[in-house]
Amino acid sequence: MLLGGVICIQPQVRQAQSQPVAVETDLEREIRNVMEKGINLAERKRQIPAIATAFSRYTVPERARRLAALCYLKTLGTLFVPMDLAEIALAETGGHGLSGKAISVKGALGVWQLMPYRAKSHGFSPDEMLNDEKCADAAVRELASKLIMAKGNLNRAKKLYCGAGPDADAYEVRRRQYRKEILEELNNRGQNQAEIEIKGVVKPS
């Protein structure tokens, strides 16, 4: 689990004053921020096909791929990985085809089911939650706020995302099952790749 270990950042060694100071581009800054959080970009990318496959069991392949890509893009530069956002989407609307137009009986909106007042707290209008990209943005912000409430416990933060009480308990059971599906797909893909490499069809780099 991402938060399970301690991230240590080595202090930078002061450079001699005679050396020119390089100007950091926005892209370089983003890469540095990601790497400083101990997040492996290769692992992030490895999760995308597994997420897309899991999503495709509940929606059409094209939409599955698009939502998987959003899980990747919207968690860049955060403490979360794509799978964190993916399992919440499945727990919230997997039973409704991951529909961007999903509205719960309590009024939660979009694939990631944000309540209107929670959407507003993150700078979005309720109508914007029917837009997948904006709903994903709001979901990441909502999970980050729950992580603070959970004092850094990511599993608890995910449960708090739904709320409290029996509904949250049932939600947590679903979330863990969906996470298991994604992990199994990741493991299957890893085994298949290893078998291909052993047979010499693809040589390890």
Side-chain angles (χ1 to χ4, degrees), residues 123-203:
F124 297 95
S125 71
D127 287 345
E128 286 179 316
M129 293 301 91
L130 304 182
N131 176 293
D132 293 335
E133 183 175 354
K134 292 179 180 179
C135 191
D137 270 326
V140 169
R141 296 181 190 185
E142 180 71 0
L143 185 58
S145 72
K146 299 308 184 189
L147 188 62
I148 294 172
M149 291 174 60
K151 298 181 180 180
N153 185 314
L154 185 54
N155 283 329
R156 177 162 171 73
K158 289 173 183 176
K159 184 175 181 179
L160 287 172
Y161 185 99
C162 179
D167 287 345
D169 292 338
Y171 166 90
E172 182 64 5
V173 171
R174 292 198 308 273
R175 182 192 68 77
R176 289 177 181 272
Q177 181 57 44
Y178 287 125
R179 184 176 184 85
K180 182 180 177 182
E181 284 186 25
I182 298 172
L183 287 172
E184 286 176 350
E185 186 61 34
L186 270 173
N187 291 336
N188 290 339
R189 287 175 176 274
Q191 290 172 1
N192 291 340
Q193 182 64 25
E195 289 174 2
I196 291 173
E197 290 176 352
I198 289 171
K199 292 177 181 178
V201 177
V202 175
K203 294 181 180 179

Side-chain angles (χ1 to χ4, degrees), residues 92-93 99-103 108-114 129-130 132 135:
E92 292 288 357
T93 56
S99 173
K101 297 180 180 179
I103 302 176
L109 303 161
V111 174
W112 283 274
Q113 291 288 281
L114 273 291
M129 293 301 91
L130 304 182
D132 293 335
C135 191

Side-chain angles (χ1 to χ4, degrees), residues 54-106:
F55 280 175
S56 68
R57 298 185 185 118
Y58 306 93
T59 188
V60 296
E62 183 179 356
R63 179 163 178 74
R65 290 192 295 271
R66 183 176 185 278
L67 290 175
L70 279 178
C71 290
Y72 172 80
L73 292 170
K74 298 305 179 180
T75 54
L76 278 173
T78 75
L79 289 170
F80 312 121
V81 294
M83 189 161 52
D84 294 326
L85 199 56
E87 65 193 58
I88 290 174
L90 287 168
E92 292 288 357
T93 56
H96 300 279
L98 293 169
S99 173
K101 297 180 180 179
I103 302 176
S104 76
V105 293
K106 294 183 179 180

